[in-house]
Amino acid sequence: METTDRLILSLLAAEGRMSFTDLGKATGLSTSAVHQRVKRLESKGLIRGYAALIDHEQLGRPLTAFISITPIDPAQPDDYPERLVEIPEIESCWSVAGEESYILKIRVATPSDLENLLARVRAAANVSTRTTIVLSTAYENRPLD
Amino acid sequence: METTDRLILSLLAAEGRMSFTDLGKATGLSTSAVHQRVKRLESKGLIRGYAALIDHEQLGRPLTAFISITPIDPAQPDDYPERLVEIPEIESCWSVAGEESYILKIRVATPSDLENLLARVRAAANVSTRTTIVLSTAYENRPLD
DNA sequence: AGTGAAATCCTTTATTC
DNA sequence: GAATAAAGGATTTCACT
């Protein structure tokens, strides 16, 4: 992993639709040279994909929360991510070391939707939950340093 | 906010570099009609931008953690996000309701880098910290449902 | 809001170094 | 690996509906 590739990654992390022409100007390479490098970064999985960043508040889901989950039955198989993947409000799911087993990040429209979601999470996974409400997002998923 | 715009958003959330031509085929609109809609979604801020999704493990930062922070001096002004924005390892910063005041999501290379980062966080913001290590990421920032 | 067409610009591949 | 060139597509603007 070398300087030019890192520069390409950081440019694309900040501006995912930048053209190969502009990437070439920014890196001092020809269009086809950056093109070749980007395709290699994609095929090696260093670039996992591209995403539009959505304003969820404007889209009608202003309420973000973290839900920490603890298994009720310790003998239950550890398949929580699969059990929870069907719940579309769950944006992220991390397995963690600490008091709880998983942390979920969710987005809903209203507190009542959160109540409903918590019931679905408990039922789908047989877990107890602890919820931390997000008051504001100072920044999220900043591009590379 | 209506069906066609929601479809465009969900297509671009999943594939941020999809061409206007392909968006047109997927929505049944002409290229110039989707183009106009996407530009409107961008200017209204519903699309905040586009990002390449990076594999941080391959990029040399395999260790992810959540750091919850609690102010030591309750009289201190509440400017933690500004104080912390200079620390590049902090990917996200949320203000939360609950026992702690903020949750940070960070990425570093090694436990020793985490130790170093925690010292910088405490010094920059005059806070106590509680760290939860991520063991694995089942999924993260899933596109829209 | 949407279409179709035209000009411009970008992407992609082949060739060469 | 990188550059150049050329063909094939995509983007963007505009006139019209």
Side-chain angles (χ1 to χ4, degrees):
Chain A
M1 187 73 300
E2 131 266 285
T3 318
T4 307
D5 281 345
R6 290 198 112 91
L7 177 55
I8 290 172
L9 289 175
S10 115
L11 289 163
L12 284 174
E15 196 182 331
R17 282 180 81 95
M18 187 180 278
S19 70
F20 294 114
T21 305
D22 286 350
L23 285 169
K25 285 171 189 159
T27 54
L29 288 175
S30 68
T31 304
S32 58
V34 274
H35 178 259
Q36 185 178 284
R37 277 174 182 262
V38 170
K39 292 301 158 192
R40 194 171 46 75
L41 291 167
E42 287 171 1
S43 72
K44 289 203 173 166
L46 245 129
I47 296 174
R48 299 201 334 273
Y50 301 89
L53 306 174
I54 303 302
D55 185 331
H56 294 274
E57 307 225 345
Q58 277 194 64
L59 239 188
R61 288 159 174 255
L63 181 47
T64 302
F66 290 96
I67 304 177
S68 307
I69 71 183
T70 308
I72 289 171
D73 172 9
Q76 187 177 311
D78 187 359
D79 58 354
Y80 300 97
E82 290 160 53
R83 286 164 174 271
L84 295 168
V85 76
E86 301 300 333
I87 302 179
E89 292 93 334
I90 302 177
E91 192 181 277
S92 306
C93 173
W94 297 277
S95 161
V96 296
E99 286 175 44
E100 284 109 354
S101 295
Y102 289 89
I103 295 177
L104 313 177
K105 177 157 169 266
I106 66 91
R107 291 192 198 269
V108 291
T110 66
S112 146
D113 292 328
L114 176 56
E115 180 176 34
N116 179 282
L117 172 62
L118 285 168
R120 277 182 285 143
V121 168
R122 291 196 200 101
N126 189 31
V127 289
S128 67
T129 62
R130 185 175 70 92
T131 300
T132 302
I133 301 276
V134 172
L135 298 173
S136 71
T137 300
Y139 31 90
E140 201 168 54
N141 297 125
R142 288 201 292 173
L144 297 181
D145 48 282
Chain B
M1 186 71 301
E2 128 264 289
T3 319
T4 307
D5 281 344
R6 289 197 113 90
L7 177 55
I8 291 172
L9 289 175
S10 117
L11 289 163
L12 284 174
E15 196 181 331
R17 281 180 81 95
M18 186 180 279
S19 71
F20 294 112
T21 305
D22 286 351
L23 285 169
K25 285 172 189 158
T27 54
L29 287 176
S30 68
T31 305
S32 54
V34 273
H35 178 259
Q36 186 177 287
R37 277 175 183 262
V38 170
K39 293 301 159 192
R40 194 170 47 73
L41 292 167
E42 286 171 1
S43 72
K44 290 203 173 167
L46 244 129
I47 296 174
R48 299 201 335 274
Y50 302 89
L53 307 174
I54 304 300
D55 185 331
H56 294 273
E57 307 226 344
Q58 276 196 64
L59 239 189
R61 287 159 174 254
L63 180 48
T64 302
F66 290 96
I67 304 178
S68 306
I69 70 182
T70 308
I72 289 172
D73 172 9
Q76 188 177 310
D78 187 0
D79 58 353
Y80 300 97
E82 290 160 53
R83 285 164 175 271
L84 295 167
V85 76
E86 301 300 332
I87 303 179
E89 291 93 335
I90 302 177
E91 194 182 275
S92 305
C93 172
W94 298 276
S95 162
V96 295
E99 286 174 44
E100 284 109 353
S101 297
Y102 290 88
I103 296 177
L104 313 177
K105 177 157 169 267
I106 66 91
R107 291 192 198 269
V108 290
T110 65
S112 145
D113 292 328
L114 175 57
E115 180 175 33
N116 180 282
L117 171 62
L118 285 168
R120 277 182 286 143
V121 167
R122 290 195 201 101
N126 190 30
V127 288
S128 69
T129 62
R130 186 176 68 92
T131 301
T132 303
I133 302 276
V134 172
L135 299 173
S136 71
T137 299
Y139 31 92
E140 200 168 55
N141 297 125
R142 287 201 292 173
L144 297 182
D145 47 281

